[in-house]
Amino acid sequence: MQQRDEGGGTEAQAKDVCLRLLTDRARSRHELEVSLAKKGFTPEIASAVLDRLEKAKLVDDESFAQQWVQSRHKYSGKGKRALSMELRNKGVSNELAVHALDLIDADDERQRAAELVRKRFRTLQLPDPSGPDARTERDKVVRKLVGMLARRGYSQSMAFAVVKEQLDRAGADTEDFDGPDSM
């Protein structure tokens, strides 16, 4: 069982690699498989070690997905679409990803988007509403804010609604603001 295969390592060495990686943060089984493959461990050794780590509850894709979604939503401000792609890239099954993403409801996602817009809004200058280019300048601010939310995985409709709400609070003229179709 502790034999060294050509180009690989022993199960004990593979286990050590996995445990070192798991001390940084939780990881999906797929991430660990990829790491072991890069280090030259055979698929058989990787599979045996990961099976044992799963039995010991040290590798659990469901728990990983839930932790990932909560953390990335709260601290990085990621929306569901971005989180779904991240989980897919981490090798989490679609079923587990959907279950983890269900932990974030629409209100939570909208609140987080509003927080991000408020924070970013503080650094932006709203144009003088009586200025000749007021609408053009306002639309630039809107594009910046909506773009920021889009890059973080928020839907276009939610992004425009949250930005309009912030503009209204700031006293900007949004009477002609129709959302995505007006850009």
Side-chain angles (χ1 to χ4, degrees), residues 11-12 16-17 26 31-32 35 44 47 49 56 88-89 91 94 100-102 113 126 129 132 144 149 153 161 165-166:
E11 283 187 23
D16 288 343
V17 168
E31 285 181 289
L32 293 172
S35 294
E44 295 79 23
S47 182
V49 167
R88 193 173 326 124
N89 291 338
N94 191 48
L101 291 168
D102 283 344
L126 265 183
K144 284 181 185 181
L149 290 176
E165 186 178 291
Q166 184 63 39

Side-chain angles (χ1 to χ4, degrees), residues 64-65 68-74 76-92 97 100-101 104 109 112 116 147-156 158:
F64 166 77
W68 186 264
V69 165
Q70 291 293 339
S71 173
R72 299 285 288 165
H73 178 68
K74 182 175 183 178
S76 297
K78 298 288 182 170
K80 282 186 172 185
R81 190 173 37 222
L83 291 168
S84 176
M85 286 182 12
E86 288 179 357
L87 289 174
R88 193 173 326 124
N89 291 338
K90 302 269 181 214
V92 174
L101 291 168
I104 300 173
E109 193 172 28
R112 188 64 178 117
L116 293 168
M148 182 243 337
L149 290 176
R151 287 186 297 279
R152 290 180 182 214
Y154 292 90
S155 71
Q156 187 178 31
M158 179 184 291

Side-chain angles (χ1 to χ4, degrees), residues 16-28:
D16 288 343
V17 168
C18 290
L19 292 176
R20 272 196 306 275
L21 289 170
L22 290 168
T23 59
D24 293 338
R25 65 169 172 83
R27 296 183 190 267
S28 69

Side-chain angles (χ1 to χ4, degrees), residues 44-150:
E44 295 79 23
I45 286 180
S47 182
V49 167
L50 293 172
D51 287 345
R52 282 194 309 200
L53 291 174
E54 278 183 341
K55 285 179 187 168
K57 302 284 187 211
L58 293 173
V59 175
D60 179 353
D61 279 359
E62 182 176 12
S63 176
F64 166 77
Q66 292 172 359
Q67 290 173 12
W68 186 264
V69 165
Q70 291 293 339
S71 173
R72 299 285 288 165
H73 178 68
K74 182 175 183 178
Y75 298 111
S76 297
K78 298 288 182 170
K80 282 186 172 185
R81 190 173 37 222
L83 291 168
S84 176
M85 286 182 12
E86 288 179 357
L87 289 174
R88 193 173 326 124
N89 291 338
K90 302 269 181 214
V92 174
S93 73
N94 191 48
E95 180 184 334
L96 293 178
V98 167
H99 179 67
L101 291 168
D102 283 344
L103 297 174
I104 300 173
D105 65 21
D107 289 339
D108 290 338
E109 193 172 28
R110 187 180 176 96
Q111 278 183 330
R112 188 64 178 117
E115 289 171 19
L116 293 168
V117 168
R118 278 192 300 274
K119 184 177 179 183
R120 180 74 170 97
F121 198 77
R122 288 185 216 134
T123 65
L124 298 174
Q125 195 78 32
L126 265 183
D128 176 9
S130 62
D133 297 331
R135 181 175 179 177
T136 303
E137 292 302 313
R138 183 211 58 202
D139 288 350
K140 284 182 188 177
V141 169
V142 169
R143 281 192 298 276
K144 284 181 185 181
L145 294 171
V146 169
M148 182 243 337
L149 290 176

